[in-house]
């Protein structure tokens, strides 16, 4: 049945009301994000974090060779979203220092504070986009950086490791590859091969050349 002008006008008014409701909800979400950002800003010394990160001597991070700035940004936001899982932990500052070092390597013209704020907006669609824009060789690198970030101050909490496992699933990282990346991350974190188990040491040495 053909709709009358009145029917169409009523539908438009109904849709307009829904759009306004959505806009109001979005505004409220951004207000809450701003409040959360301000709360974090009051407890995190970004200047000191940047200073400490600039004194790292880890060589060159692979992200320095990635010319796609948007992909670099998504890479870093994904690591920062991991810090939100366990944001109250004492390890947060250490994690942020490590991510700040990667940010410096990437040469992106954005602050860690702004990236951290944007990472609060990550949702399920963000993971799908990451797979599309991040070159395949960087998938395993991101997982290794996530493992380092998670365990930088010792054994990570279970919910943090679940997050890393989810990231592996999205990026198509197999159990075998995850095992390999875990060994490499452990070697980097321990900085003392003498403290590694013999089995892990053998794996680490066989992978070191890569």
């Amino acid at each position: 049945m053909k709709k009358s002008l009145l029917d169409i006008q009523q539908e438009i008014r109904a849709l307009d009301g829904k759009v306004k409701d959505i806009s109001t909800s979005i505004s409220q979400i951004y207000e809450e994000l701003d409040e959360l950002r301000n709360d974090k800003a009051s407890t995190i010394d970004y200047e000191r974090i940047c200073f400490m990160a600039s004194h790292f001597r880890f060589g060159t991070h692979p992200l320095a060779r990635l010319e796609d700035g948007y992909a670099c940004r998504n890479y870093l936001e994904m690591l920062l979203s991991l810090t939100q899982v366990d944001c109250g932990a004492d390890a947060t500052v250490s994690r942020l220092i490590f991510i700040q070092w990667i940010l410096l390597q990437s040469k992106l013209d954005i602050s860690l504070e702004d990236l951290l704020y944007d990472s609060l907006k990550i949702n399920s669609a963000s993971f799908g986009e990451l797979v599309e824009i991040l070159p395949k060789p960087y998938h395993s690198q991101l997982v290794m950086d996530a493992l380092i970030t998670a365990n930088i101050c010792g054994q990570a909490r279970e919910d943090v490791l679940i997050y890393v496992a989810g990231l592996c699933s999205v990026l198509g990282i197999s159990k075998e590859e995850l095992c390999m990346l875990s060994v490499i991350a452990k070697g980097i974190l321990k900085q003392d091969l003498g403290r590694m188990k013999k089995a892990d040491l053998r794996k680490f040495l066989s992978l070191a050349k890569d």
Side-chain angles (χ1 to χ4, degrees), residues 52-87:
M52 295 179 73
S54 66
H55 285 74
F56 275 8
R57 294 294 180 266
F58 287 162
T60 302
H61 190 280
L63 211 62
R65 299 190 294 271
L66 184 57
E67 296 181 0
D68 187 340
Y70 186 67
C72 287
R73 182 167 180 152
N74 277 260
Y75 185 109
L76 288 161
E77 287 179 2
M78 201 58 63
L79 287 178
L80 285 167
S81 69
L82 187 151
T83 69
Q84 307 297 331
V85 179
D86 191 19
C87 59

Side-chain angles (χ1 to χ4, degrees), residues 144 148 179-189 204 207-208:
M144 187 165 73
I148 292 172
C179 180
M180 177 189 73
L181 295 172
S182 298
V183 171
I184 296 173
K186 184 186 292 185
I188 292 171
L189 287 168
F204 180 80
L207 298 168

